[in-house]
Amino acid sequence: MGPTRPSMQELIGRRRRAGFVGRTEERAAFRRNLQLAPEDERHRFLFHVHGIAGVGKSRLVRELEQIAREAGALTAYVDEGVAGVPEALTVMARQFAVQGRRFRELERLLAAHRERRHEAEAALAMGGPEEREGPSAGSLAVARAAQVGLGMVPVAGAFAVALDTDRLAQGADRLRARFRSQEDAQLVLSPERVLTPVLLTELAAVADAVPWIVLLLDTYERTGPFLDPWLHDVMTTDRYGALPANVVVVTSGQHSFDTARWGSFADFRADLPLGPFTEEEARGLLADKGVRDEPVVAEVLRLTGGLPVLVSTLAESGPVGPGEVGDPSATAVDRFLKWERDPVRRAAALACALPRRLDEDVFRSAVDCPEDQAGALFAWLRGMPFVSERGGRLQYHDVVRAPMLRLQRLRSPQGWAERHTRLAESYGRRRTETEADLRPEELWADEGWRALRLGESYHLLCARPRAALSGALADVVAACAYGDDAVRPWVRLLTEAGEDADAEAVRPWGGDLSGALAGGGLAGLLRLLLGRARGDEPWRATAWALRADALARDGDHERALEDYDRALALDPSLVRAHRGRAVTRGAAGDYGGALADLDRVLELEPDNPWNVILRGEHHRLARHHDAAVADLSEGIVRNPTSEFAWASRGAAHERHGDLDAALADFDRALALKPDYAWALARRARVWRGLGDQPRRLADLDRALALQPDWAWGRCERGDALRVNGRDEEALADYDRALELDPGYASAYASRGVSLSNLGRHEEALADLDRALALNPEYPWALDHRTAVRQRMGDA
């Protein structure tokens, strides 16, 4: 057989690429690098392309990707379409699959991450209750259970707000019982910790089969805030594992690299600063497009300043005389479309500058043209030099779009408002259609719905900035309940709408919210929102409630209750605030107040099974046995798949002494969720009551295998070991429990008893004294301290 002929597409692609003009040195440097072994000291592992908008960074990055492909590399390209590390890895996995390299385990975990995060965000299922339950700690348990059940989880829930990294790390162990396994918990709490090692493992598996793996991270000025710390860890530390040596990374953005973070990596990276085309490069591109007449060339050079996107656009238009190039103060149409004679095309190009992203549906809403011409017009627009395709959608280059927007805004303010209103209505109709297939609690967890809401809000802000601002800020507040990744697109939206519409009412919000989020996270953003809110802003109540959630999670019950009261003064029917105040009162030991709030919650939201389950749990902690069983049984009738309701009722039965009923309920909870650590640990108490020590220890071993950093579980197993005469082993569990929770009175008391059993009476007395200092009304500790003193006196 003779050699396989290339396809038409391949030939066309080669010819088009052969016309790539300029950036010769940068391309040559990258190509030479792929000819050097990773062990060669001249080899560079990281290239950073940077320069102002319009200098052709993205085009060069795509050219570098093609050079890598020609060298046999496996490549992945990521741009600002992602809002977090998991999304970036999703894009990479998809592109690897297209090239015939399936990263199956990474794909599985990414799918699990989306599913687990969706569950947490929508709060469709109830999750893990108390992580400890000492004599005075029961009131804390329901707060933590409720926080998780309501979606208040770090990263993916309302308790993400106003918490720093250390706080999140300290609280992570309390949330693991919410999920099917420890891996599920990490996939929501710290997804990069689970996903990145798998990415590196799968990269290593394919590294021997390809000469190079090239990862290209474009628009780094937007993605760098969350990708840069992750990339630094991946490339310079072994935190996630080993990165194959034949991986090359290309980043591209408007700014130079952060020398504070990457300074020590200077010998292993290469900077590729881009400026405007040199005159020689610009002339080369114009000549390649057939523009050689000197007066015309001189005028193009004067107007464009050598910006590649403008040189390319004007060259594509084929001017035949300097008069056709236009004046530098000319309109955007004259600069970029002067030689397009078809008025329909000219109008379409202008109209399509209005949306931030463009697909055929948006195109048809933006452009007035006969239906039978829409397809051809869209295809023509797709081929324009200033239009790129990302993620299946078209996007104008900022250098071209900005003057087109200014032209339309200044030429006809009323027409500007009308066209944006029409686009907003189009997005709104599609959003409403999407809502028909979603429950209210699922909206913010649905990526498609969020994209439509963003599009609708952008065009409303452009059409009527002052009128639409309050609604957009309300969405910012709502997004705060779902973590940084959800909020970033809304902050970016306000920034872009303020600039594009030249709206003084919006512009300060975009920049300031962006700065607050970058400098203080969601806490800083919420502080800014509440500090600037007008008295009539409808979102203020939710913002106060979100801040109260954060304070409650941080243990500041008094201030949290003050903020819940502020929220309810503004909106007495705000269920989030009533429910949050209930669990905070419960955490502070005010069960009467908590139950009163929950009664109000059930009046406002009677059809939510979780509300009656939550009230049942509070009754259980208040030791109202009959009321607890009644509510939890009603919750089970309404939601028979709530493993928490079954486990909570089991705990109520166990405390009441009905061990057979308790065992049946725990068995049911564990049938629904086999890796339910809290149910396993509580069932161990039933085995204790039944005198079955082997099963007691087996359940505790299994629970701690699922949730090793669990103070209450450690103390429970320490007790099981102690009663079996295994005090040395028990001490290890008590020590670990106290490392995790230095204020855990029960662990001090139990450790004191084991120390005394081992003859270490002085140490035992110190631990029992510490337990009683933490909880003076602790009869068990008092009795054992008396016994230890007697032993010391007898000795």
Side-chain angles (χ1 to χ4, degrees):
M1 293 180 62
T4 303
R5 291 195 176 195
S7 68
M8 180 186 297
Q9 291 90 338
E10 289 173 325
L11 290 173
I12 291 174
R14 289 180 190 174
R15 291 183 188 179
R16 292 183 66 182
R17 290 194 54 252
F20 187 94
V21 175
R23 311 311 182 195
T24 304
E25 292 182 6
E26 292 83 0
R27 290 184 291 154
F30 187 75
R31 187 177 284 109
R32 284 194 303 271
N33 196 65
L34 298 182
Q35 296 167 356
L36 298 172
E39 296 80 10
D40 192 312
E41 291 188 358
R42 295 169 296 171
H43 178 79
R44 295 294 180 260
F45 297 101
L46 175 63
F47 285 77
H48 182 55
V49 179
H50 57 96
I52 63 172
V55 295
K57 298 184 297 294
S58 293
R59 191 177 182 206
L60 176 60
V61 169
R62 285 299 198 181
E63 176 69 9
L64 299 183
E65 180 181 28
Q66 189 60 36
I67 290 171
R69 290 272 186 99
E70 290 174 353
L74 178 69
T75 70
Y77 172 91
V78 176
D79 62 15
E80 80 273 19
V82 302
V85 171
E87 289 185 24
L89 298 186
T90 299
V91 170
M92 292 180 191
R94 288 174 181 164
Q95 295 182 23
F96 293 152
V98 169
Q99 296 166 71
R101 303 290 179 178
R102 291 289 301 275
F103 284 26
R104 298 184 187 278
E105 180 62 10
L106 180 61
E107 291 174 8
R108 181 189 72 79
L109 287 172
L110 285 165
H113 163 72
R114 290 189 291 271
E115 183 179 349
R116 296 292 88 77
R117 178 160 182 159
H118 177 85
E119 290 173 358
E121 287 174 344
L124 297 178
M126 182 47 214
E130 60 217 79
E131 81 286 355
R132 73 178 206 185
E133 188 175 80
S136 64
S139 60
L140 297 175
V142 68
R144 289 160 183 159
Q147 291 158 12
V148 177
L150 299 174
M152 302 178 189
V153 293
V155 181
F159 266 55
V161 300
L163 298 177
D164 58 30
T165 304
D166 291 339
R167 296 290 186 188
L168 294 180
Q170 293 167 8
D173 65 293
R174 298 172 183 144
L175 300 164
R176 290 188 176 92
R178 161 68 179 84
F179 302 98
R180 295 183 179 90
S181 66
Q182 190 174 0
E183 179 184 272
D184 283 351
Q186 288 295 325
L187 278 172
V188 173
L189 295 168
S190 303
E192 63 277 5
R193 293 186 183 179
V194 178
L195 298 171
T196 309
V198 176
L199 169 71
L200 299 185
T201 298
E202 302 214 72
L203 285 173
V206 79
D208 290 337
V210 296
W212 297 103
I213 300 168
V214 178
L215 309 178
L216 305 106
L217 309 177
D218 203 359
T219 56
Y220 212 57
E221 69 275 7
R222 293 181 176 174
T223 60
F226 54 87
L227 284 183
D228 198 53
W230 171 81
L231 181 64
H232 183 268
D233 279 348
V234 167
M235 296 190 71
T236 68
T237 76
D238 59 0
R239 177 181 181 184
Y240 300 115
L243 185 67
N246 62 336
V247 172
V248 175
V249 177
V250 178
T251 55
S252 171
Q254 294 186 11
H255 312 299
S256 301
F257 242 38
D258 181 358
T259 54
R261 175 174 287 143
W262 291 91
S264 62
F265 204 64
D267 291 343
F268 306 94
R269 64 180 171 87
D271 274 354
L272 299 181
L274 297 189
F277 270 171
T278 65
E279 181 175 334
E280 181 182 359
E281 289 173 325
R283 286 178 177 276
L285 188 150
L286 291 170
D288 184 66
K289 300 294 184 181
V291 180
R292 297 182 176 87
D293 185 67
E294 183 55 33
V296 176
V297 170
E299 188 66 2
V300 170
L301 293 176
R302 182 179 72 85
L303 286 177
T304 63
L307 283 178
V309 67
L310 302 187
V311 176
S312 178
T313 298
L314 293 182
E316 195 75 31
S317 305
V320 296
E324 291 189 348
V325 178
D327 185 85
S329 62
T331 67
V333 173
D334 287 337
R335 291 185 68 184
F336 307 130
L337 300 170
K338 185 179 180 76
W339 304 278
E340 177 52 63
R341 306 301 181 187
D342 185 343
V344 175
R345 286 184 173 181
R346 290 159 60 93
L350 262 184
C352 289
L354 297 178
R356 297 190 303 164
R357 306 286 186 275
L358 196 66
D359 57 24
E360 284 206 56
D361 291 330
V362 178
F363 175 87
R364 292 172 189 272
S365 299
V367 176
D368 289 317
C369 72
E371 183 64 25
D372 59 354
Q373 296 181 23
L377 265 179
F378 187 70
W380 166 80
L381 186 66
R382 173 178 272 157
M384 293 300 290
F386 53 80
V387 176
S388 61
E389 187 165 353
R390 296 177 180 175
R393 295 186 177 185
L394 305 185
Q395 181 176 337
Y396 278 34
H397 196 291
D398 290 343
V399 170
V400 175
R401 181 171 180 257
M404 286 187 172
L405 293 177
R406 283 198 303 273
L407 167 71
Q408 297 178 81
R409 189 179 67 244
L410 297 175
R411 175 184 288 173
S412 175
Q414 182 174 346
W416 164 272
E418 289 173 353
R419 286 189 290 274
H420 277 292
T421 299
R422 184 170 65 185
L423 284 163
E425 290 171 349
S426 174
Y427 273 105
R429 285 192 298 271
R430 293 166 63 189
R431 175 182 55 79
T432 301
E433 292 168 3
T434 301
E435 289 173 358
D437 298 324
L438 298 169
R439 291 189 291 271
E441 66 269 21
E442 293 179 314
L443 298 180
W444 281 93
D446 185 84
E447 183 179 353
W449 181 89
R450 289 199 306 267
L452 293 170
R453 180 82 165 193
L454 282 163
E456 180 184 11
S457 294
Y458 171 79
H459 291 294
L460 287 174
L461 284 166
C462 287
R464 299 183 299 277
R466 292 186 180 277
L469 178 60
S470 180
L473 293 176
D475 282 344
V476 171
V477 171
C480 283
Y482 300 91
D484 292 37
D485 291 356
V487 171
R488 284 192 194 101
W490 287 99
V491 172
R492 188 183 302 168
L493 169 80
L494 286 163
T495 302
E496 293 181 9
E499 292 299 324
D500 295 346
D502 192 27
E504 287 302 322
V506 178
R507 183 184 289 111
W509 280 103
D512 293 348
L513 285 174
S514 180
L517 184 63
L522 290 171
L525 184 143
L526 270 178
R527 281 195 296 270
L528 177 67
L529 282 167
L530 286 168
R532 287 193 183 173
R534 301 194 312 266
D536 60 346
E537 293 288 6
W539 47 263
R540 288 171 63 227
T542 300
W544 282 116
L546 283 170
R547 198 176 83 157
D549 291 343
L551 291 168
R553 168 61 183 79
D554 202 26
D556 192 343
H557 300 145
E558 184 176 350
R559 289 178 61 203
L561 290 172
E562 291 174 357
D563 280 358
Y564 285 127
D565 289 344
R566 289 188 180 99
L568 290 169
L570 293 167
D571 183 357
S573 63
L574 185 60
V575 172
R576 174 191 290 274
H578 281 292
R579 192 160 44 203
R581 190 171 69 176
V583 297
T584 304
R585 284 176 165 174
D590 180 8
Y591 297 123
L595 289 166
D597 274 332
L598 289 168
D599 288 341
R600 179 61 176 148
V601 168
L602 280 162
E603 290 175 11
L604 293 167
E605 197 178 71
D607 296 329
N608 186 343
W610 164 235
N611 293 331
V612 71
I613 293 169
L614 181 60
R615 189 173 67 177
E617 174 67 355
H618 275 81
H619 277 304
R620 181 185 77 81
L621 289 170
R623 305 203 176 194
H624 303 158
H625 175 72
D626 293 340
V629 170
D631 271 351
L632 292 167
S633 298
E634 175 64 22
I636 288 169
V637 169
R638 295 191 192 184
N639 182 11
T641 63
S642 172
E643 67 274 6
F644 172 77
W646 287 101
S648 182
R649 194 175 72 173
H653 285 314
E654 184 272 328
R655 176 175 285 160
H656 198 60
D658 191 347
L659 300 183
D660 290 337
L663 187 59
D665 279 351
F666 285 128
D667 287 346
R668 180 60 179 159
L670 288 162
L672 290 166
K673 183 178 175 182
D675 293 333
Y676 194 171
W678 188 80
L680 285 164
R682 294 299 306 212
R683 189 173 69 176
R685 287 194 166 187
V686 178
W687 297 128
R688 179 188 66 183
L690 294 171
D692 193 334
Q693 295 300 331
R695 285 185 176 176
R696 178 188 183 188
L697 270 170
D699 272 355
L700 288 168
D701 287 344
R702 191 172 155 206
L704 286 167
L706 293 165
Q707 193 173 330
D709 297 333
W710 186 16
W712 184 73
R714 289 282 176 182
C715 191
E716 286 287 298
R717 190 171 69 176
D719 289 345
L721 292 166
R722 175 174 50 80
V723 298
N724 278 277
R726 297 161 63 179
D727 288 288
E728 289 286 1
E729 296 172 74
L731 287 180
D733 273 337
Y734 295 139
D735 289 345
R736 182 59 181 148
L738 289 167
E739 287 176 16
L740 294 165
D741 186 352
Y744 196 171
S746 293
Y748 280 110
S750 292
R751 189 172 71 174
V753 174
S754 276
L755 287 167
S756 181
N757 291 342
L758 294 168
R760 297 159 62 179
H761 301 309
E762 293 285 352
E763 296 172 74
L765 190 60
D767 270 355
L768 288 162
D769 285 343
R770 178 63 175 152
L772 287 163
L774 290 165
N775 181 13
E777 304 299 325
Y778 193 169
W780 191 84
L782 281 167
D783 291 343
H784 279 279
R785 185 172 68 174
T786 300
V788 170
R789 285 174 172 170
Q790 288 175 346
R791 290 178 194 173
M792 294 173 71
D794 293 340

